[in-house]
């Protein structure tokens, strides 16, 4: 296996097959440019003559061969980031199998960061994913926090905030039970923390 990996060191682009080179170069020349795709030219898979190995079933030797090559690739991290951004779960990318990438998408990227959600609900400006913004609205409703507190953290006004509040209830069915429980706990915590301020405002 090591000998195969050694043979596939990054080479000059003139060693690539013409059709492969054309496809790779078009990735950043065309509208597929997702922050620069030139890194693809350094990918070990681009110069491998057995591309089907990257999609072979896990039990086959071809799968293990491709995984070993991919794991030693100099642009492994760029490839993995691209797969995550595109939500690609087919084949081997960035040293991981499609199943491993899918697991990462489900459990890492989509997991709400409740510390940032709480900060937004306290009126602090933080960067939130779209899923976290939806959680902010749901928790705000549970805790009785007005739109004027959380809407500015998302750079939206009253109309957009009202639309988000209207959609909040329909989103409940798509939330994992674990996250829903965490939202309820955070809402209770915020209610207790904000009770004095709410009493004064009343």
């Amino acid at each position: 296996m090591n000998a195969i990996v050694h043979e596939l060191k990054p080479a000059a682009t003139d060693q690539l097959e013409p059709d492969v080179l054309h496809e790779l170069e078009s990735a950043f020349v065309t509208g597929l440019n997702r922050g620069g795709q030139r890194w693809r030219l350094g990918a070990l898979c681009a110069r491998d003559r057995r591309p089907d190995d990257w999609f072979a079933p896990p039990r086959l030797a071809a799968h293990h061969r491709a995984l070993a090559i991919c794991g030693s690739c100099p642009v492994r991290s760029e490839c993995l980031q691209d797969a995550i951004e595109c939500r690609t779960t087919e084949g081997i990318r960035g040293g991981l199998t499609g199943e491993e990438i899918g697991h990462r998408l489900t459990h890492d990227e989509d997991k709400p960061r409740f510390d940032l959600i709480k900060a937004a609900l306290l009126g602090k400006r933080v960067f939130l994913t779209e899923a976290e913004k939806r959680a902010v609205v749901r928790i705000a409703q549970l805790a009785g926090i007005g739109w004027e507190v959380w809407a500015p953290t998302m750079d939206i006004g009253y109309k957009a905030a009202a639309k988000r509040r209207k959609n909040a209830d329909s989103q409940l069915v798509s939330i994992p039970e674990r996250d829903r429980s965490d939202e309820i706990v955070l809402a209770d915590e915020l209610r207790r923390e904000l009770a004095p301020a709410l009493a004064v405002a009343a």
Side-chain angles (χ1 to χ4, degrees), residues 41-168:
L41 297 173
L44 295 182
C45 60
R47 60 195 99 264
D48 186 42
R49 298 193 182 276
R50 289 159 57 183
D52 290 346
D53 287 3
W54 268 258
F55 301 91
R59 66 184 180 278
L60 297 183
H63 171 86
H64 297 290
R65 173 186 172 273
L67 197 57
I69 293 169
C70 196
S72 65
C73 184
V75 294
R76 183 175 66 250
S77 60
E78 291 91 337
C79 184
L80 180 57
Q81 184 59 38
D82 186 66
I84 289 171
E85 285 175 11
C86 298
R87 303 187 72 82
T88 302
T89 57
E90 303 235 349
I92 295 170
R93 295 284 308 271
L96 299 180
T97 65
E99 184 179 358
E100 289 168 331
I101 293 170
H103 181 77
R104 180 172 290 199
L105 285 170
T106 302
H107 297 286
D108 293 346
E109 185 183 80
D110 295 336
K111 187 174 180 182
R113 298 167 297 175
F114 283 97
D115 55 332
L116 295 183
I117 291 171
K118 181 178 180 180
L121 286 162
L122 293 173
K124 297 176 183 170
R125 288 187 175 269
V126 290
F127 177 78
L128 300 171
T129 66
E130 191 55 39
E132 288 164 347
K133 289 177 182 178
R134 292 192 295 267
V136 163
V137 180
R138 291 190 301 267
I139 296 168
Q141 287 183 301
L142 284 171
I145 299 171
W147 70 273
E148 63 280 354
V149 175
W150 54 265
T153 69
M154 300 184 198
D155 291 319
I156 61 174
Y158 172 75
K159 285 187 178 179
K163 186 176 180 182
R164 282 184 175 269
R165 283 189 299 186
K166 184 178 177 184
N167 294 334

Side-chain angles (χ1 to χ4, degrees), residues 18-47:
D19 57 335
V20 172
L21 180 59
H22 174 72
E23 182 181 337
L24 293 171
E25 288 183 334
S26 69
F28 60 87
V29 171
T30 67
L32 295 176
N33 189 342
R34 294 181 295 274
Q37 297 289 293
R38 200 161 193 83
W39 59 265
R40 290 174 180 265
L41 297 173
L44 295 182
C45 60
R47 60 195 99 264

